[in-house]
Amino acid sequence: MGLLSILRKLKSAPDQEVRILLLGLDNAGKTTVLKQLASEDITHITPTQGFNIKSVQSQGFKLNVWDIGGQRKIRPYWRNYFENTDILIYVIDSADRKRFDETGQELAELLEEEKLGGVPVLIFANKQDLLTAAPASEIAEGLNLHTIRDRVWQIQSCSALTGEGVQDGMNWVCKHVNAKKK
């Protein structure tokens, strides 16, 4: 098959575009997750002062991922990005137990947002490579995730640093986007 016929085939079957909002507190690992998805170098990551946008191809989808900074002063601006969100990915630093209440409150507020109503949620329990990390089951229980009834959700253990669990989470995302788009 020549290059021209490959290009024609790609053009005749365009990927579905999916808008993903990647949120979480500062230092949770959102940008590292994003760079891991894009197969980019993760050795030098600085705190996000605004937002990062990357398009990632996965399972026939073009995933447009919006990574918004998680510093307290930036969080009020998250709502500017809610429109047309297909999937919410919320990243939690599993080793930062002191901030579990804060991250739980932020997640609860997001789930109350009208513009995010019914949007599937993937929660990455990140930094599982650290000895002090709480297991995903403990985080799910602590955040009362079992009470979420208005949308599908999944908590996924991962280490954005090593990449472990990240693809499993994205497989869940693609499965639920596929179901939503049908």
Side-chain angles (χ1 to χ4, degrees), residues 27-97:
N27 201 35
K30 298 175 298 299
T31 303
T32 308
V33 166
L34 180 60
K35 288 186 172 276
Q36 200 55 266
L37 290 174
S39 300
E40 293 181 5
D41 180 32
I42 59 169
T43 53
H44 300 293
I45 295 178
T46 57
T48 303
Q49 295 300 318
F51 60 88
N52 297 305
I53 307 168
K54 295 241 183 268
S55 291
V56 181
Q57 299 292 121
S58 184
Q59 300 179 27
F61 292 102
K62 180 180 179 187
L63 307 176
N64 296 314
V65 185
W66 292 70
D67 163 27
I68 315 297
Q71 295 89 341
R72 190 179 306 272
K73 68 180 192 276
I74 294 176
R75 291 181 219 155
Y77 298 102
W78 285 357
R79 65 182 28 90
N80 296 327
Y81 300 91
F82 293 167
E83 199 82 35
N84 300 317
T85 295
D86 294 307
I87 299 277
L88 172 62
I89 298 178
Y90 193 79
V91 183
I92 295 174
D93 179 343
S94 302
D96 193 354
R97 295 170 189 262

Side-chain angles (χ1 to χ4, degrees), residues 21 23 85-90 107 110-111 116 119-122:
L21 193 54
L23 299 175
T85 295
D86 294 307
I87 299 277
L88 172 62
I89 298 178
Y90 193 79
L107 178 59
L110 288 169
L111 297 177
L116 294 175
V119 171
V121 179
L122 170 65

Side-chain angles (χ1 to χ4, degrees), residues 82-145:
F82 293 167
E83 199 82 35
N84 300 317
T85 295
D86 294 307
I87 299 277
L88 172 62
I89 298 178
Y90 193 79
V91 183
I92 295 174
D93 179 343
S94 302
D96 193 354
R97 295 170 189 262
K98 291 181 202 143
R99 295 185 80 189
F100 281 2
D101 285 343
E102 182 182 1
T103 198
Q105 185 172 345
E106 290 293 344
L107 178 59
E109 288 177 20
L110 288 169
L111 297 177
E112 295 291 318
E113 288 287 341
E114 190 176 321
K115 288 183 179 174
L116 294 175
V119 171
V121 179
L122 170 65
I123 298 130
F124 271 131
N126 191 24
K127 303 190 183 181
Q128 291 293 316
D129 54 305
L130 300 177
L131 293 174
T132 56
S137 58
E138 182 183 316
I139 293 170
E141 191 173 313
L143 297 180
N144 294 315
L145 296 181

Side-chain angles (χ1 to χ4, degrees), residues 13-14 50 52 76 111 154 161 165 175:
N52 297 305
L111 297 177
Q154 171 73 20
L161 194 60
K175 178 177 140 193

